[in-house]
């Protein structure tokens, strides 16, 4: 059973989608053992507590990035965490954190990487006028939003989309691909060949999907 530590800063809907997938048995070999946040009032911390998961606010005040991240590593190690799941964690991780969990950190980004890295990815997509947007689950490396890609979802962009409507559509797809990526990880089905992630076995019928805007409904995520 792999022990998962979650880092989040906000509402925690991705954390919740992974938790539900564990509770339902979709993710079989993983367990969330601790949730950490840099924000005292993160809704995700409350959700974790409601689910009786240890949930801690780790105060960044007065600490350098390295000091703070060393503290996080210490806590995660004390829980014997195997994998770190970033779920809306709004701080850039220091190199020392990434070295401590090398190849063991996952993130979800609301864009089809390598396009639209960084903040406001959905707004960037709208401004660029792309017809398709989406989300990416990837391994975290020292370069921001650049690690090997595990799974991506694709959603259409409509002419009347706003940042909110596009974000909502992408988020619904995030809630499918993040649990799927964690499931594959916990089943030891993910390996790396250079920068490419290889997935063992057939996974296309396990919730992976893409939207065809011609054949599908507008909200059919
Ligand atoms: C998501 O859009 C995710 O892609 C990004 O941050 C947001 C977190 O949302 N990294 P939530 O807190 O999981 O609801």
């Amino acid at each position: 059973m792999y022990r998962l530590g979650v880092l989040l800063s906000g509402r925690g809907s991705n954390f919740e989608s992974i938790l539900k997938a564990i509770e339902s048995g979709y993710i079989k070999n993983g367990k969330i053992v601790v949730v950490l946040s840099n924000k005292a009032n993160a809704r995700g911390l409350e959700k974790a507590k409601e689910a009786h998961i240890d949930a801690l606010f780790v105060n960044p005040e007065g600490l350098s990035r390295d000091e703070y991240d060393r503290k996080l590593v210490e806590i995660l190690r004390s829980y014997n965490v195997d994998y770190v799941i970033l779920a809306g964690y709004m701080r850039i991780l220091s190199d020392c954190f990434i070295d401590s969990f090398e190849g063991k950190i996952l993130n979800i980004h609301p864009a089809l990487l390598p396009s639209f890295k960084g903040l406001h990815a959905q707004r960037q997509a709208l401004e660029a006028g792309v017809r398709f947007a989406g989300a990416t689950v990837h391994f975290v490396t020292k370069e921001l939003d650049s690690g090997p890609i595990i799974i991506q979802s694709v959603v259409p962009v409509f002419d009347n989309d706003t940042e909110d409507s596009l974000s909502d559509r992408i988020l619904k797809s995030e809630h499918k691909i993040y649990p799927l990526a964690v499931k594959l990880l916990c089943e030891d089905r993910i390996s790396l060949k250079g920068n490419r992630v290889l997935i063992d076995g057939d996974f296309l019928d396990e919730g992976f999907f893409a939207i065809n805007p011609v054949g599908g409904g507008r909200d059919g995520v």
Side-chain angles (χ1 to χ4, degrees):
M1 177 72 71
Y2 287 117
R3 298 171 66 82
L4 312 175
V6 173
L7 303 190
L8 53 76
S9 303
R11 73 195 149 182
S13 70
N14 276 291
F15 151 66
E16 235 182 338
S17 73
I18 293 167
L19 180 62
K20 280 193 184 136
I22 291 172
E23 286 171 352
S24 73
Y26 176 70
I27 296 172
K28 288 185 192 67
N29 199 30
K31 182 185 167 156
I32 297 172
V33 292
V34 66
V35 175
L36 304 179
S37 181
N38 60 318
K39 296 281 180 196
N41 55 0
R43 179 75 189 98
L45 278 183
E46 291 312 310
K47 289 178 182 168
K49 284 178 193 156
E50 284 160 20
H52 307 291
I53 295 170
D54 285 0
L56 312 172
F57 161 56
V58 184
N59 193 345
E61 225 174 78
L63 299 179
S64 70
R65 188 189 300 283
D66 276 5
E67 284 167 345
Y68 184 75
D69 281 4
R70 270 197 281 273
K71 200 165 169 178
L72 293 184
V73 169
E74 205 176 288
I75 299 171
L76 293 166
R77 290 252 184 267
S78 74
Y79 279 87
N80 289 319
V81 161
D82 298 299
Y83 289 107
V84 178
I85 310 294
L86 305 183
Y89 183 63
M90 299 305 288
R91 278 173 69 101
I92 293 175
L93 292 170
S94 61
D95 288 359
C96 70
F97 187 101
I98 295 172
D99 284 337
S100 303
F101 286 98
E102 207 193 334
K104 307 270 181 192
I105 311 169
L106 260 60
N107 182 43
I108 188 158
H109 183 74
L112 288 170
L113 290 173
S115 293
F116 314 130
K117 297 174 181 178
L119 292 174
H120 308 300
Q122 302 93 332
R123 192 188 303 167
Q124 292 184 51
L126 281 178
E127 282 168 1
V130 293
R131 287 298 183 192
F132 292 95
T136 303
V137 180
H138 63 97
F139 284 111
V140 172
T141 55
K142 287 176 187 165
E143 205 182 321
L144 185 70
D145 297 330
S146 297
I149 291 169
I150 303 173
I151 304 271
Q152 294 185 300
S153 57
V154 180
V155 303
V157 180
F158 298 116
D159 289 349
N160 60 357
D161 265 329
T162 61
E163 197 177 337
D164 281 348
S165 65
L166 180 58
S167 299
D168 285 352
R169 191 175 306 118
I170 293 173
L171 189 67
K172 282 185 198 157
S173 78
E174 293 180 34
H175 296 161
K176 299 199 176 183
I177 60 170
Y178 216 177
L180 172 57
V182 174
K183 170 189 169 75
L184 295 170
L185 190 74
C186 290
E187 290 175 0
D188 293 321
R189 290 168 63 186
I190 293 180
S191 58
L192 269 182
K193 194 177 177 195
N195 200 43
R196 249 186 114 188
V197 168
L198 304 181
I199 296 175
D200 191 27
D202 189 11
F203 69 96
L204 291 176
D205 59 349
E206 291 181 17
F208 184 77
F209 62 97
I211 294 219
N212 175 353
V214 179
R218 294 182 72 88
D219 292 306
V221 187

